[in-house]
Amino acid sequence: MGGSVLAVPPLDAAAYAGVNTAAGGPHKGGLGLALGGGGARGFAHAGVLMALQQARVRPQLITGTSMGSVVGAMFAVGQDMPRLVQVLQELDLHEIFGLPETYRKMLERTIGGAFLEQLSRTSWREHPSPRLLRLYQLLHLLCKGADFADLSIPLACVAADVDSGQEVVIGSGPVYRGVAASAALPGVFPPVPWNGRHLIDGGVVNNLPADVALALGADTVLAVDVSVPLLKRAEGTLEVILQSYTITANELLQVKLDLVRTTLGDRLIVVRPEVGKIGILDFHRVEEAVAAGYTAGQEAVRRLQSLRMNPHSTINDGENRS
């Protein structure tokens, strides 16, 4: 392993909400799992986790952004992943949250709603969102009503403060609230009130939190990237706006990975499940995403086995949670 944890510029201490980062992190050594954002593409994380379970690889900590936080939290609270996948296949999330088929259509609808909001002089800060309340209810159920302090595998969820622009890493309080903040995708959900702040999807500032796993003490990081790819050809104005956001997000992701790699070298393992053209809101394609994640997870296991792992994260040493 090249260098030390200090080689990566740490986030400002204020960014870590209830997470102890002293002395290289509270979970010194071992395997850290970084699960990235990507909407429905992130169901692939479940497949990765099932492959790790099958190989008896148990991470020492999990960091997540957006859907990475959702799936990571469900694993951390002890959900049976194959059974959970079956449940997710039965859920109609479009109906539950009143969502259109694509993120583009969602934004078009949101723009219209924003115009009406201006005319009526109302604000999301003043009026609770029924869609957000439904998100709370679903996540509270899936996360078993757990608190971060209750988790057998430490979890840190990345969100962004919509007012300050600051990255916020949540590791205390009710798990469902931290996950909701991390997954509050602009245009789909309003900002989540949290400790006097208003938080939005962490993908705005850090879509693949490998650096957070490193800052929290991991000496090997497996990062699962399910980022949305660039459009081959942007046509309309809205597509140009979405493309510009994707370009910025992908460049930021690469910069952060490069910084982590300067410290970890080949102990940073990045896998990219072949989730192809699965869209952010393609929640009906759970099985396809999970299968792609399982294949990527098998690749990750092979790469982990090629390393001489820290004793705290040895292959074939953890309890199989399936």
Side-chain angles (χ1 to χ4, degrees), residues 77-151:
V77 302
Q79 291 282 12
D80 180 274
M81 297 310 291
R83 184 178 305 169
L84 181 64
V85 168
Q86 291 179 341
V87 171
L88 291 173
Q89 287 178 296
E90 296 299 322
L91 290 177
D92 187 342
L93 296 179
H94 288 93
E95 181 177 351
I96 291 173
F97 296 117
L99 300 175
E101 297 176 358
T102 67
Y103 188 47
R104 174 180 172 174
K105 289 182 179 179
M106 185 72 236
L107 289 181
E108 290 172 347
R109 180 186 298 180
T110 301
I111 291 170
F115 179 68
L116 294 176
E117 190 178 78
Q118 288 292 326
L119 290 177
S120 61
R121 296 185 178 181
T122 59
S123 170
W124 53 264
R125 295 178 188 267
E126 302 165 358
H127 300 280
S129 162
R131 185 180 291 153
L132 183 57
L133 294 178
R134 287 193 291 272
L135 178 64
Y136 287 163
Q137 292 169 349
L138 178 62
L139 291 177
H140 188 274
L141 177 64
L142 294 177
C143 296
K144 300 183 177 181
D147 190 276
F148 279 93
D150 302 328
L151 302 179

Side-chain angles (χ1 to χ4, degrees), residues 79-291:
Q79 291 282 12
D80 180 274
M81 297 310 291
R83 184 178 305 169
L84 181 64
V85 168
Q86 291 179 341
V87 171
L88 291 173
Q89 287 178 296
E90 296 299 322
L91 290 177
D92 187 342
L93 296 179
H94 288 93
E95 181 177 351
I96 291 173
F97 296 117
L99 300 175
E101 297 176 358
T102 67
Y103 188 47
R104 174 180 172 174
K105 289 182 179 179
M106 185 72 236
L107 289 181
E108 290 172 347
R109 180 186 298 180
T110 301
I111 291 170
F115 179 68
L116 294 176
E117 190 178 78
Q118 288 292 326
L119 290 177
S120 61
R121 296 185 178 181
T122 59
S123 170
W124 53 264
R125 295 178 188 267
E126 302 165 358
H127 300 280
S129 162
R131 185 180 291 153
L132 183 57
L133 294 178
R134 287 193 291 272
L135 178 64
Y136 287 163
Q137 292 169 349
L138 178 62
L139 291 177
H140 188 274
L141 177 64
L142 294 177
C143 296
K144 300 183 177 181
D147 190 276
F148 279 93
D150 302 328
L151 302 179
S152 60
I153 300 178
L155 172 72
C157 300
V158 175
D161 187 316
V162 74
D163 295 312
S164 70
Q166 183 183 38
E167 180 173 349
V168 180
V169 182
I170 302 172
S172 64
V175 173
Y176 83 94
R177 287 297 289 264
V179 173
S182 180
L185 183 64
V188 177
F189 299 105
V192 172
W194 194 88
N195 285 3
R197 311 172 85 162
H198 289 92
L199 306 183
I200 61 175
D201 193 295
V204 174
V205 289
N206 191 352
N207 203 43
L208 186 59
D211 59 325
V212 177
L214 178 58
L216 294 178
D219 63 12
T220 300
V221 174
L222 170 58
V224 185
D225 182 11
V226 291
S227 300
V228 176
L230 291 173
L231 298 171
K232 291 185 177 180
R233 182 182 176 90
E235 297 289 352
T237 300
L238 189 56
E239 287 187 349
V240 172
I241 294 172
L242 291 172
Q243 186 85 325
S244 65
Y245 172 81
T246 303
I247 291 170
T248 301
N250 289 351
E251 287 296 314
L252 178 60
L253 183 152
Q254 191 57 53
V255 168
K256 286 180 174 286
L257 285 180
D258 288 345
L259 282 172
V260 174
R261 190 169 283 109
T262 62
T263 296
L264 294 183
D266 61 2
R267 286 188 175 271
L268 170 62
I269 296 174
V270 181
V271 295
R272 296 181 171 89
E274 295 291 336
V275 285
K277 295 182 179 179
I278 297 178
I280 291 177
L281 300 184
D282 284 347
F283 296 122
H284 60 287
R285 300 174 72 177
V286 175
E287 184 176 6
E288 183 181 346
V290 171

